[in-house]
Amino acid sequence: MSFPLSSHAASKEIYYTVKGSSKISPGIYKAIPNGKPVPVLKEKVYKMKQTTKPPLNFIDTKEVYINERIAQAADYKTNVELNNEPIQYIQVVGENIYFTKLLARALLTEGYCRGTPSDILEIYKRSSNGKITKVISDKVSSLTANPFKVIGSYIYYAKIENEAMGNFTIIKSTLDGKKKQVLYKGVTDFWIAQNQIYFIKNGELYWMGLDGKGVKRASAIQSELYGDSGCAPGNYFILDEGFHWIEDSGDTTIDYYYFDFASKKVTKLPSPTTYDDVQSIDLKKNRFVAEKFSGSYAIVGLYDLKGKLIKKLLTYDYLKSETYIYSVSAKNGQLLYIQGTSLKKITF
């Protein structure tokens, strides 16, 4: 699953997270696109160690890692577990910055295979005076599309219960964490779009109001929706304006579909013969942006809804160049990507 980490200040500056490396300090940066990046909150890359005393007890996980020490030069040359993304999700609210900080990393070890790690996160706030405080005692997961979302005087999040790979409880809390309301239990994913809460439960998509009322199921979606698990990635991918999913008919045919948040309608997409990962869709302009992977290279292209390539937008080596996509808007014709600590923009 993917979800753009869009966090915009009142000016043209954009706040964004940066992954660390042997040469780059991870953390929060700000910049005008294609301008000089300015660090807001620097962190360190940490070497991780397995612990017998995890911060939470999981029924599906036996292997949990926590930060041991700051990574050294030799650690980057060996096959060790590193935490190069201590800050993963941010939201600018007025003069405050809310962000997640990695507490631990859990690996699913039940069954016949080990799979995608689930990062256990805590929610913090950086005030305008630079003071940093933990705002919520509950833990959240990197496997939810929105680890949290601040709207008005409330913070919404999916609390980890007893499984690292699922079983979250949607909570609505005051910003100080003193008053909490349970909105829904037993979900496997959570995000907020257009002032509605979306979640996955038992492989089906639901949405409800910010007060937890008016729960509705997306009856137009017939296939099962499943997120990252111990053995494989999920079959659906969340975008700003909607989400698309892959439906395997059981033979060689694989169908792609798109659900629009505004209209609640489903559109069938062209079979992926020239693309792999859809990043943004605009049904009115009959186009979408997607990545195509070849070896260690990723090619970001603009396509029409028949799957024909209109224009190549970006090519990069995702193993060596420290480049990754920040956000894409097929509607506005804008691609933002992070290269090192810089925020780059391409218009189309």
Side-chain angles (χ1 to χ4, degrees), residues 64-127:
V64 178
Y65 291 80
I66 58 175
N67 291 338
E68 180 181 28
R69 57 170 173 77
I70 297 174
Q72 301 173 356
D75 295 323
Y76 294 96
K77 300 177 181 179
T78 56
N79 188 25
V80 298
E81 188 80 11
L82 293 178
N83 170 17
N84 71 333
E85 204 174 0
I87 298 176
Q88 298 183 10
Y89 186 90
I90 63 174
Q91 183 182 348
V92 178
V93 182
E95 295 183 343
N96 300 319
I97 302 174
Y98 291 81
F99 63 95
T100 60
K101 195 171 182 179
L102 187 140
L103 175 65
R105 179 166 295 157
L107 298 178
L108 185 69
T109 52
E110 297 296 324
Y112 63 88
C113 61
R114 287 171 48 179
T116 304
S118 173
D119 286 350
I120 312 304
L121 313 172
E122 295 185 303
I123 305 172
Y124 286 80
K125 180 182 75 173
R126 182 186 185 274
S127 302

Side-chain angles (χ1 to χ4, degrees), residues 114-239:
R114 287 171 48 179
T116 304
S118 173
D119 286 350
I120 312 304
L121 313 172
E122 295 185 303
I123 305 172
Y124 286 80
K125 180 182 75 173
R126 182 186 185 274
S127 302
S128 57
N129 61 5
K131 182 180 179 181
I132 296 176
T133 56
K134 187 190 300 185
V135 297
I136 298 293
S137 58
D138 297 328
K139 317 306 179 193
V140 296
S141 170
S142 63
L143 296 184
T144 52
N146 281 164
F148 72 88
K149 188 78 172 181
V150 176
I151 299 179
S153 300
Y154 296 95
I155 184 168
Y156 298 80
Y157 60 93
K159 173 189 174 184
I160 295 175
E161 294 295 351
N162 59 353
E163 295 178 56
M165 296 288 171
N167 190 23
F168 308 124
T169 297
I170 300 175
I171 303 288
K172 176 183 179 181
S173 170
T174 52
L175 296 179
D176 58 10
K178 293 182 178 180
K179 293 183 179 180
K180 300 178 182 179
Q181 178 186 357
V182 173
L183 298 184
Y184 213 94
K185 294 183 177 181
V187 308
T188 55
D189 201 356
F190 153 85
W191 68 92
I192 293 180
Q194 300 182 351
N195 284 330
Q196 289 185 312
I197 298 173
Y198 288 85
F199 59 92
I200 306 292
K201 184 179 178 69
N202 297 327
E204 296 183 311
L205 174 70
Y206 293 82
W207 67 85
M208 62 184 176
L210 296 177
D211 56 2
K213 298 179 181 180
V215 178
K216 295 182 180 180
R217 182 175 66 86
S219 57
I221 300 176
Q222 303 299 320
S223 56
E224 180 183 0
L225 303 174
Y226 54 90
D228 292 341
S229 70
C231 296
N235 72 332
Y236 64 94
F237 309 85
I238 303 164
L239 316 175

Side-chain angles (χ1 to χ4, degrees), residues 317-328:
D317 187 332
Y318 60 85
L319 294 180
K320 298 179 181 180
S321 65
E322 296 172 338
T323 300
Y324 46 98
I325 293 176
Y326 173 79
S327 68
V328 184

Side-chain angles (χ1 to χ4, degrees), residues 47-53 62-66 68 81 109:
K47 181 180 182 297
M48 306 189 78
K49 68 173 182 178
Q50 190 170 356
T51 179
T52 57
K53 297 179 179 180
K62 305 296 183 185
E63 195 170 322
V64 178
Y65 291 80
I66 58 175
E68 180 181 28
E81 188 80 11
T109 52

Side-chain angles (χ1 to χ4, degrees), residues 7 10 36 40 54-56 91 105 122 140 142 144 167 190 212-213 216 223 246 255 279 292 309 313 318 337 346-347:
S7 298
K36 183 179 180 180
V40 177
L56 292 174
Q91 183 182 348
R105 179 166 295 157
E122 295 185 303
V140 296
S142 63
T144 52
N167 190 23
F190 153 85
K213 298 179 181 180
K216 295 182 180 180
S223 56
I246 302 170
D255 295 323
Q279 296 288 328
K292 174 68 178 179
L309 178 65
L313 303 176
Y318 60 85
Y337 65 98
I346 296 174
T347 57

